Amino acid sequence: MSNTSSPIERTLILVKPDGVRRGLVGEVISRIESKGYNVAALRLLTADKDLLATHYAEHRGEAFYEPLIEFMSSGPIVAMIAEGQRVIEGFRSLAGATDPTLALPGSIRGDLARNQGTKVVQNIVHGSDSVESAQREIKIFFPNL
Ligand code: IDP
Ligand code: MG
């Protein structure tokens, strides 16, 4: 085991529009809290395309980029900051693989999402993938925190 004495981290979690539409906000929060992480901030918003372009800048140029921005701006999302030791990788583990068909049962995506033939994969949640991404993404959704 590595990093057993690592400092408390913060990560940016989004419940995407598919998750909000399907009434899965409570289910996602429940899994985060049941794991023992602390929800430190939470807001419901409909993200505009400029905000999403900043958030997803690393994916510009990908075939799924435009569909991703359209999808993510298609309805309300819930943005959260979760805190805890190794929460960044811990939430990625709770979320499961990007491809919901491959995401393991037991994970949010593995239990609650599937491929639907859309240009962008709809997979319920986003979670930051590194300390640097988390700091950058938290500033986008929670500029005061
Ligand atoms: P992640 O959300 O697991 O970190 P990323 O590679 O950062 O995955 O991609 C961001 C989002 O873009 C994914 O969650 C998914 O919704 C979508 N996406 C990523 N790769 C593909 C793809 O190859 N086809 C369709 N949609 C994709
Ligand atoms: Mg990502």
Side-chain angles (χ1 to χ4, degrees), residues 55-56 58-59 92 98 109 126-129 137:
H55 175 67
Y56 280 125
E58 66 174 309
H59 294 306
R92 299 274 295 180
T98 306
R109 290 162 168 175
H126 164 85
S128 308
D129 64 6
E137 294 172 0

Short mmCIF file of all heavy atoms in Angstrom, two decimals, residues 55-56 58-59 92 98 109 126-129 137, ligand 2:
data_model
loop_
_atom_site.label_atom_id
_atom_site.label_comp_id
_atom_site.label_asym_id
_atom_site.label_seq_id
_atom_site.Cartn_x
_atom_site.Cartn_y
_atom_site.Cartn_z
N HIS A 55 -13.40 24.06 -18.41
CA HIS A 55 -13.31 22.81 -17.63
C HIS A 55 -12.74 21.67 -18.48
O HIS A 55 -11.92 20.89 -18.00
CB HIS A 55 -14.71 22.45 -17.11
CG HIS A 55 -14.77 21.14 -16.40
ND1 HIS A 55 -14.15 20.92 -15.19
CD2 HIS A 55 -15.37 19.97 -16.73
CE1 HIS A 55 -14.37 19.68 -14.81
NE2 HIS A 55 -15.10 19.07 -15.72
N TYR A 56 -13.19 21.57 -19.73
CA TYR A 56 -12.80 20.43 -20.59
C TYR A 56 -11.75 20.83 -21.63
O TYR A 56 -11.65 20.17 -22.68
CB TYR A 56 -14.04 19.84 -21.28
CG TYR A 56 -14.84 18.91 -20.39
CD1 TYR A 56 -16.20 19.13 -20.17
CD2 TYR A 56 -14.26 17.78 -19.79
CE1 TYR A 56 -16.95 18.26 -19.37
CE2 TYR A 56 -15.00 16.92 -19.00
CZ TYR A 56 -16.34 17.15 -18.79
OH TYR A 56 -17.08 16.28 -18.01
N GLU A 58 -8.70 20.25 -21.97
CA GLU A 58 -7.77 19.17 -22.39
C GLU A 58 -8.36 18.32 -23.52
O GLU A 58 -7.63 17.61 -24.21
CB GLU A 58 -7.43 18.27 -21.20
CG GLU A 58 -8.60 17.48 -20.67
CD GLU A 58 -8.25 16.46 -19.58
OE1 GLU A 58 -7.33 15.66 -19.79
OE2 GLU A 58 -8.92 16.48 -18.53
N HIS A 59 -9.68 18.36 -23.71
CA HIS A 59 -10.32 17.51 -24.72
C HIS A 59 -10.62 18.23 -26.03
O HIS A 59 -11.19 17.62 -26.95
CB HIS A 59 -11.61 16.90 -24.16
CG HIS A 59 -11.37 15.94 -23.03
ND1 HIS A 59 -10.51 14.86 -23.14
CD2 HIS A 59 -11.85 15.90 -21.76
CE1 HIS A 59 -10.50 14.20 -21.99
NE2 HIS A 59 -11.28 14.82 -21.14
N ARG A 92 -12.40 8.47 -8.12
CA ARG A 92 -12.28 7.87 -9.46
C ARG A 92 -12.60 6.36 -9.38
O ARG A 92 -13.18 5.80 -10.30
CB ARG A 92 -10.87 8.08 -10.01
CG ARG A 92 -10.47 9.55 -10.19
CD ARG A 92 -10.89 10.14 -11.49
NE ARG A 92 -10.26 9.55 -12.64
CZ ARG A 92 -10.50 9.95 -13.89
NH1 ARG A 92 -11.37 10.93 -14.13
NH2 ARG A 92 -9.90 9.38 -14.90
N THR A 98 -14.34 5.17 -17.52
CA THR A 98 -15.06 6.14 -18.36
C THR A 98 -16.14 5.46 -19.18
O THR A 98 -17.25 5.98 -19.32
CB THR A 98 -14.05 6.84 -19.30
OG1 THR A 98 -12.99 7.39 -18.52
CG2 THR A 98 -14.73 7.93 -20.11
N ARG A 109 -20.65 4.23 -12.32
CA ARG A 109 -20.89 4.05 -13.75
C ARG A 109 -21.25 2.60 -14.09
O ARG A 109 -22.09 2.34 -14.94
CB ARG A 109 -19.65 4.51 -14.53
CG ARG A 109 -19.45 6.03 -14.50
CD ARG A 109 -18.04 6.42 -14.88
NE ARG A 109 -17.87 7.85 -15.12
CZ ARG A 109 -16.71 8.43 -15.36
NH1 ARG A 109 -15.59 7.70 -15.39
NH2 ARG A 109 -16.64 9.73 -15.58
N HIS A 126 -18.45 13.18 -13.07
CA HIS A 126 -17.07 13.60 -13.35
C HIS A 126 -16.32 13.63 -12.03
O HIS A 126 -16.89 14.04 -11.01
CB HIS A 126 -17.06 15.01 -13.96
CG HIS A 126 -15.68 15.64 -13.92
ND1 HIS A 126 -14.75 15.41 -14.91
CD2 HIS A 126 -15.08 16.43 -13.00
CE1 HIS A 126 -13.63 16.06 -14.59
NE2 HIS A 126 -13.80 16.68 -13.45
N GLY A 127 -15.06 13.27 -12.06
CA GLY A 127 -14.18 13.45 -10.90
C GLY A 127 -12.80 13.87 -11.37
O GLY A 127 -12.28 13.32 -12.35
N SER A 128 -12.21 14.84 -10.68
CA SER A 128 -10.86 15.30 -11.04
C SER A 128 -9.89 14.12 -11.04
O SER A 128 -10.05 13.17 -10.27
CB SER A 128 -10.36 16.33 -10.02
OG SER A 128 -11.29 17.37 -9.84
N ASP A 129 -8.85 14.22 -11.90
CA ASP A 129 -7.94 13.08 -12.04
C ASP A 129 -6.55 13.29 -11.43
O ASP A 129 -5.72 12.39 -11.51
CB ASP A 129 -7.83 12.65 -13.51
CG ASP A 129 -7.22 13.72 -14.40
OD1 ASP A 129 -6.75 14.76 -13.89
OD2 ASP A 129 -7.21 13.50 -15.63
N GLU A 137 -10.02 22.78 -11.38
CA GLU A 137 -11.48 22.59 -11.58
C GLU A 137 -12.28 23.17 -10.43
O GLU A 137 -13.38 23.70 -10.64
CB GLU A 137 -11.76 21.09 -11.76
CG GLU A 137 -11.16 20.54 -13.04
CD GLU A 137 -11.26 19.02 -13.18
OE1 GLU A 137 -11.80 18.37 -12.26
OE2 GLU A 137 -10.79 18.50 -14.21
MG MG B 2 -11.35 13.38 -17.09
#
